[in-house]
Amino acid sequence: DGGITQSPKYLFRKEGQNVTLSCEQNLNHDAMYWYRQDPGQGLRLIYYSQIVNDFQKGDIAEGYSVSREKKESFPLTVTSAQKNPTAFYLCASSIDVQPQHFGDGTRLSIL
Amino acid sequence: KQEVTQIPAALSVPEGENLVLNCSFTDSAIYNLQWFRQDPGKGLTSLLLIQSSQREQTSGRLNASLDKSSGRSTLYIAASQPGDSATYLCAASPWGYQKVTFGTGTKLQVIP
């Protein structure tokens, strides 16, 4: 079945540590996205990529980094510069202009 | 800047009831309006997408309408079932790329 796989499902970060969230899709979509979801808030865009080797900052990119070396993969690194990383992170992909298919998310917490 | 509001934040109804979920947006210059469903601890599943030129879309027991002039969209669920319990989010897309604005969602509980 085609879809988006996010791993791990739960992740814990220590003070000063960088952590990487994985996102893989087998839908052959060009565009991929990372969103952050906090209780009581709508999804906020962190980064997006329209094509391999290209990505753009979203509304809340500070403290995060991404890469897009392969069409199928769009990993997100939460750096130590992100002071409030506790949230639910969602990866999405699409064939055109807006996110359509979502993964099941990664819940990140601080140790 | 587009703002999308969903009221109420939570709704509880008995099984079998017909219900309406509301979505309001401030900028009527939208490309489309999409409704998603999110189960606890899961990602979003697209339910219905209404293009700006359309007034409504239907899928099974779901009907979504769009009134750009008033900045409103509604999601109608007929004959609700316990399996409909989830959070429903709407998202407004402008004419552009990746700048979708999501509402905060309405958490629906259908009581058997």
Side-chain angles (χ1 to χ4, degrees), chain A residues 70-89:
Chain A
K70 298 186 300 181
K71 188 175 186 177
E72 307 80 32
S73 179
F74 191 40
L76 172 74
T77 296
V78 184
T79 74
S80 57
Q82 173 49 247
K83 298 307 179 186
N84 183 25
T86 297
F88 190 52
Y89 291 86

Side-chain angles (χ1 to χ4, degrees), chain B residues 27-83:
Chain B
D27 186 351
S28 62
I30 61 171
Y31 177 61
N32 62 47
L33 191 293
Q34 193 164 2
W35 282 91
F36 291 90
R37 168 183 172 140
Q38 184 176 30
D39 291 294
K42 298 290 188 179
L44 278 63
T45 300
S46 179
L47 296 173
L48 290 165
L49 184 149
I50 313 174
Q51 299 290 354
S52 62
S53 58
Q54 298 174 321
R55 297 282 298 189
E56 64 179 86
Q57 281 286 336
T58 298
S59 175
R61 294 183 294 109
L62 306 180
N63 175 276
S65 67
L66 175 64
D67 183 346
K68 288 200 307 176
S69 62
S70 66
R72 294 188 62 187
S73 176
T74 61
L75 178 66
Y76 174 83
I77 301 177
S80 59
Q81 302 171 359

Side-chain angles (χ1 to χ4, degrees), chain A residues 38-104:
Chain A
D38 294 280
Q41 297 193 39
L43 275 68
R44 292 183 290 169
L45 182 63
I46 305 173
Y47 269 98
Y48 64 94
S49 169
Q50 297 175 238
I51 198 168
V52 175
N53 293 321
D54 182 64
F55 50 83
Q56 305 294 330
K57 292 181 179 180
D59 298 323
I60 55 166
E62 185 175 350
Y64 300 97
S65 66
V66 294
S67 63
R68 187 83 187 276
E69 298 176 359
K70 298 186 300 181
K71 188 175 186 177
E72 307 80 32
S73 179
F74 191 40
L76 172 74
T77 296
V78 184
T79 74
S80 57
Q82 173 49 247
K83 298 307 179 186
N84 183 25
T86 297
F88 190 52
Y89 291 86
L90 287 164
C91 178
S93 72
S94 70
I95 200 168
D96 53 18
V97 300
Q98 66 193 78
Q100 195 76 16
H101 298 268
F102 284 79
D104 278 343

